[in-house]
Amino acid sequence: MKKNFLNIEGVTTLSKAQQKEVNGGFSPENLIGYGDISKCGCDCGGSVTGPAYCSEIMACIHVYRCDDES
């Protein structure tokens, strides 16, 4: 599947140094008031699965079909 991502126009592979510069994060405090986040997930089409609140707290950035994994 990695080879498929490298064939997408505009995709760049980040070096280890560049990866260290990426900022972002997750804080459990941000999820107070939501239900059980272990019920959230992603399907093979890249859609969020689980209760309605899941789409408010997460996104599925990968978009592929289950049969494309090989």
Side-chain angles (χ1 to χ4, degrees):
M1 184 152 105
K2 181 179 176 183
K3 65 181 179 180
N4 293 338
F5 285 116
L6 298 177
N7 291 331
I8 299 172
E9 186 176 323
V11 171
T12 303
T13 302
L14 299 177
S15 68
K16 289 192 182 267
Q18 290 171 316
Q19 291 176 30
K20 289 180 183 179
E21 294 177 17
V22 174
N23 292 320
F26 167 78
S27 175
E29 293 82 31
N30 295 338
L31 300 177
I32 293 173
Y34 286 100
D36 183 0
I37 61 170
S38 68
K39 295 180 181 179
C40 302
C42 299
D43 67 13
C44 294
S47 297
V48 176
T49 61
Y53 59 81
C54 292
S55 60
E56 295 178 25
I57 60 174
M58 68 177 284
C60 301
I61 58 171
H62 59 281
V63 179
Y64 62 93
R65 294 168 36 125
C66 290
D67 56 358
D68 290 343
E69 289 189 55
S70 55

